[in-house]
């Protein structure tokens, strides 16, 4: 059961590290951070979210590939654009694992090196 919980926690951590590239309430009509060739998650008005690899950023639309089909996304319909950050996720997972290992090793070391002479009963 512990292994299953660890796998679920790791999966959620890997899915949660995203960076918001565009939000229409903050940077209205500023799509300068969107790069061709990169994969983003798009949230449009009235549509479910979907992932697409951007082919081109044009004046009124973004052209991309989603599910092996070309899609044209009107810039006016986009609410949020997010980008996954696998490098940051990897750093968090590795850092957390190393930190926990060091903490456990320190606790074990302190317990093994303690002398019962210091305890009063």
């Amino acid at each position: 059961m512990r292994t299953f919980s660890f796998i679920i926690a790791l999966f959620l951590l890997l899915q949660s590290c995203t960076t918001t590239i565009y939000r229409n309430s903050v940077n209205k009509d500023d799509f300068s951070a969107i790069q061709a060739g990169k994969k983003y998650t798009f949230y449009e008005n009235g549509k479910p979210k979907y992932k697409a690899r951007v082919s081109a950023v044009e004046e009124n639309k973004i052209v991309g590939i989603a599910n092996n089909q070309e899609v044209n996304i009107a810039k006016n319909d986009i609410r949020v654009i997010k980008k996954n950050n696998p490098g940051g996720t990897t750093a968090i997972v590795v850092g957390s694992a190393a930190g926990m290992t060091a903490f456990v090793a320190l606790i074990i070391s302190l317990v093994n090196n303690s002398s019962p002479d210091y305890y009063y009963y």
Side-chain angles (χ1 to χ4, degrees):
M1 186 67 178
R2 188 182 321 178
T3 304
F4 180 72
S5 298
F6 176 74
I7 290 171
I8 294 296
L10 183 63
F11 178 74
L12 289 174
L13 181 63
L14 292 174
Q15 294 298 320
S16 65
C17 290
T18 60
T19 303
T20 301
I21 302 296
Y22 172 83
R23 185 178 304 272
N24 67 351
S25 61
V26 176
N27 42 357
K28 185 78 172 158
D29 297 328
D30 181 17
F31 293 91
S32 60
I34 308 301
Q35 300 174 358
K38 304 278 183 168
K39 192 170 191 176
Y40 298 97
T41 303
F42 291 89
Y43 297 81
E44 289 188 77
N45 296 326
K47 293 184 182 178
K49 70 177 183 176
Y50 60 92
K51 294 182 180 181
R53 183 170 308 278
V54 173
S55 303
V57 179
E58 298 178 0
E59 186 177 329
N60 294 324
K61 65 182 177 180
I62 296 175
V63 180
I65 306 292
N67 298 324
N68 296 324
Q69 296 180 359
E70 184 175 293
V71 292
N72 293 314
I73 307 161
K75 287 183 177 179
N76 293 336
D77 292 340
I78 297 174
R79 289 184 299 120
V80 177
I81 301 174
K82 293 187 178 186
K83 183 174 185 331
N84 285 340
N85 188 357
T89 303
T90 304
I92 290 171
V93 170
V94 170
S96 298
M100 285 301 292
T101 302
F103 179 74
V104 169
L106 176 67
I107 296 298
I108 290 172
S109 164
L110 290 173
V111 168
N112 287 341
N113 291 334
S114 66
S115 171
D117 296 337
Y118 297 116
Y119 299 111
Y120 298 103
Y121 297 102

